[in-house]
């Protein structure tokens, strides 16, 4: 899937992740699940951002990555884009990355949930897991305080 190009810099990836993290905080303050995402060009231009709105919109399909993706509008090609997300993408969101050929995914953490990013990497998507402590703590605290809502979100 990915073309031959320079790998993303860790500094740029961390900057992208901060936008996703701010979205996760918004979701938490709205009473939702604190997972955020943002779609960027490979050069770092923000195309859109969003957060998990399953609770707020009573819509099981509104995950953070899909929210950010929908808000980006229509593009002819996504290979030059980067999805930054606070959490390893679930299979649904990994499928979105695959379907639309998003070239890279920056992941805040994969400790609270390990989704489909290994599969995406096998398919040639550039994957960068930052192991960000703030992302891990934000969702970990939420899971501890709201296990029933978390289990609903991940399909348990």
């Amino acid at each position: 899937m990915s073309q031959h190009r320079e790998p993303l810099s860790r500094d740029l990836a961390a900057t992208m992740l901060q936008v996703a993290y701010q979205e996760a905080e918004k979701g938490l303050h709205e009473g939702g699940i604190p997972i955020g995402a943002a779609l960027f060009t490979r050069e770092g231009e923000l195309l859109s951002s969003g957060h998990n709105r399953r609770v707020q919109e009573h819509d099981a399909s509104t995950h953070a990555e899909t929210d950010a993706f929908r808000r980006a509008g229509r593009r002819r090609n996504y290979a030059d884009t980067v999805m930054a997300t606070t959490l390893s993408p679930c299979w649904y969101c990994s499928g979105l990355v695959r379907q639309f050929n998003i070239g890279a995914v920056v992941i805040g953490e994969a400790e609270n949930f390990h989704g489909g990013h290994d599969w995406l990497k096998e398919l040639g998507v550039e994957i960068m897991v930052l192991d960000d402590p703030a992302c891990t703590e934000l969702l970990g605290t939420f899971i501890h305080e709201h296990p029933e809502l978390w289990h609903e979100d991940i399909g348990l």
Side-chain angles (χ1 to χ4, degrees):
M1 284 176 66
S2 66
Q3 301 169 356
H4 299 308
R5 61 177 109 205
E6 291 294 315
L8 284 173
S9 80
R10 196 163 180 85
D11 288 343
L12 179 57
T15 299
M16 292 174 173
L17 181 61
Q18 282 307 305
V19 175
Y21 185 82
Q22 290 169 358
E23 285 288 340
E25 288 183 315
K26 284 182 194 175
L28 181 63
H29 294 303
E30 292 171 0
I33 298 165
I35 302 170
L39 190 66
F40 292 87
T41 65
R42 200 159 174 88
E43 293 73 35
E45 175 191 350
L46 177 63
L47 299 172
S48 64
S49 62
H51 52 274
N52 186 304
R53 297 174 192 268
R54 294 181 74 250
V55 173
Q56 300 92 313
E57 295 184 1
H58 304 286
D59 180 352
S61 70
T62 311
H63 289 205
E65 297 88 343
T66 58
D67 189 42
F69 184 77
R70 289 172 180 160
R71 293 171 187 275
R74 191 169 153 222
R75 294 175 62 91
R76 182 170 176 83
N77 188 318
Y78 294 88
D80 67 337
T81 63
V82 178
M83 180 67 77
T85 179
T86 57
L87 183 66
S88 176
C90 69
W91 286 106
Y92 171 62
C93 295
S94 294
L96 176 119
V97 169
R98 173 69 174 115
Q99 175 70 31
F100 291 96
N101 195 28
I102 293 172
V105 180
V106 171
I107 299 166
E109 63 109 348
E111 184 177 321
N112 285 303
F113 179 78
H114 191 106
H117 69 267
D118 292 333
W119 174 68
L120 290 171
K121 188 173 186 173
E122 289 172 10
L123 295 171
V125 177
E126 182 180 356
I127 300 293
M128 185 180 295
V129 181
L130 296 178
D131 295 319
D132 183 86
C135 290
T136 304
E137 182 179 344
L138 182 66
L139 185 59
T141 299
F142 179 85
I143 291 169
H144 178 73
E145 293 174 355
H146 306 281
E148 70 294 335
L149 192 53
W150 172 247
H151 290 144
E152 175 190 320
D153 191 62
I154 60 170
L156 292 179

